[in-house]
Amino acid sequence: MKKVLLATSALFLTAGVASAEITFSGTAGAGIVQNGTGADTTVWSGVDINIAASATTDGGVTISMADDIGGGNLIDWNDDYAVDAQGTAIGAPAVTVKSGALTVTFDDNAIDHLDSDAVAGDLSVDTTMGGLTLSVVVDVDQSSGTDMSYKLGYAAGDLTVGYTAQDDSSKLSASYKVGDMTVGVSSDDNGAGVTTNEASVSYTAGNVTLKGAADDQDGWDLDVAYSVGAISVAYGTDESEEWDLNASYDLGGGVAAKASLTSGDFMAAGLTFAF
C-alpha cells in the first residue's frame, strides 16, 4: 500500500511540474549602514527570494503568479535610501492573465496608481494597439481614496507622448530623441489648481550621461552618471541642495560592491549578489 501511495504521489508531483513553469531568483547582500544623522553604524544582511510560476492554456492564455519571501534587511541603494526589512512569509501573490496584447493583473492593495505611487489599487489592465498603449489601475474596494487612474501613451519613431489622469490631477508629457540627446516637456496640474510646467534634457557622450530638468515653480534637478567597464558612478542634486552619490563595481558572477552617500546622512556600503 505504501508503494502505491508513493507512486501516486510521484505521479501527481510530476504532472504538476510538467504543466507549469516555476522559477526562483533573488538578491542577497551584506555590509554596513548609517541611517540618518546621529545614527549608529550597524551591520546589515538580507535575502529576497522571488517565486514565479506560469501556465498556458490550449487557447494561448498565460496565467502567472509572482511573490517573494526573504529575511533580514537589504539596502535601497539609489531610490529611497532606506534599510528595507524583508518579509518572512509569502503574502497574497500578484496573479496576471495575459492574452495577446491584453494583460490583467490582480494584486490586492499592491498595484501603484499611475500618477502617484503613494496610493495603491487592486486591479490593472494594460494593452497595446500599434504605437498606442493604455494602462488602467482600479481600486475595486475603494480603500485607497483613489477609484481609478489611467495612462494613455503613443510612440511614433523618436516621438513619445503620454497623458496620465488620477483623481483631480492630470499630466501631459512629450519627449523626442535626437541622436544622443532626448528633450522633454510636461504640464502637471497636480490636482491643486497649480499647473507645473517642466522642461528636461538628457545627453550621452561616451561614458558620461547628463540629465537636467527645470520647472516654472523654481524646481530643478541635475544628474551626472559615469560608467566604464565594471565601474559606475552617479551624482544627483536639486534646488534644495540635497544630493546623493552612488558607486558600484561589478565583480562578475552576479556579485557587485556598492556604496551610497546622501546629504541626509545616509551611508551604506557592502556586497550584493543576484541568483
Side-chain angles (χ1 to χ4, degrees):
M1 184 63 182
K2 290 182 178 179
K3 292 182 179 180
V4 173
L5 289 175
L6 288 172
T8 303
S9 299
L11 179 62
F12 174 77
L13 291 173
T14 302
V17 172
S19 61
E21 180 181 349
I22 302 174
T23 61
F24 295 88
S25 62
T27 57
I32 60 172
V33 62
Q34 180 183 0
N35 192 10
T37 304
D40 293 332
T41 300
T42 59
V43 168
W44 63 271
S45 65
V47 61
D48 180 32
I49 301 173
N50 304 306
I51 305 170
S54 64
T56 303
T57 69
D58 294 339
V61 178
T62 298
I63 302 175
S64 59
M65 63 76 61
D67 209 333
D68 64 345
I69 185 172
N73 299 287
L74 292 175
I75 302 299
D76 192 344
W77 294 99
N78 54 5
D79 186 9
D80 294 330
Y81 298 104
V83 181
D84 292 338
Q86 302 303 300
T88 58
I90 295 179
V95 176
T96 300
V97 180
K98 180 176 175 56
S99 178
L102 179 66
T103 301
V104 181
T105 301
F106 304 83
D107 200 357
D108 187 39
N109 294 322
I111 302 176
D112 289 340
H113 276 289
L114 297 168
D115 193 41
S116 171
D117 59 8
V119 288
D122 314 301
L123 173 71
S124 69
V125 179
D126 299 275
T127 189
T128 59
M129 295 166 283
L132 189 67
T133 60
L134 174 64
S135 298
V136 180
V137 174
V138 180
D139 184 7
V140 176
D141 58 11
Q142 300 180 339
S143 61
S144 71
T146 296
D147 295 337
M148 183 181 74
S149 61
Y150 68 89
K151 182 175 183 178
L152 188 65
Y154 181 74
D158 294 322
L159 175 66
T160 302
V161 180
Y163 178 78
T164 306
Q166 178 175 321
D167 294 330
D168 297 326
S169 68
S170 62
K171 181 178 181 179
L172 180 63
S173 61
S175 65
Y176 188 75
K177 190 175 187 304
V178 184
D180 295 325
M181 179 182 295
T182 300
V183 294
V185 293
S186 67
S187 181
D188 190 349
D189 65 16
N190 301 306
V194 177
T195 300
T196 300
N197 300 303
E198 182 182 84
S200 63
V201 60
S202 66
Y203 179 71
T204 300
N207 299 320
V208 179
T209 299
L210 302 173
K211 295 181 180 180
D215 61 42
D216 57 3
Q217 303 298 320
D218 297 325
W220 59 266
D221 57 75
L222 176 65
D223 297 281
V224 181
Y226 175 77
S227 179
V228 57
I231 300 174
S232 297
V233 181
Y235 174 81
T237 187
D238 59 23
E239 77 284 349
S240 61
E241 298 184 357
E242 294 184 351
W243 55 266
D244 55 73
L245 176 65
N246 295 279
S248 67
Y249 185 83
D250 188 350
L251 299 171
V255 181
K258 293 186 177 182
S260 289
L261 183 65
T262 77
S263 56
D265 290 330
F266 177 91
M267 182 281 295
L271 294 173
T272 67
F273 67 95
F275 55 88

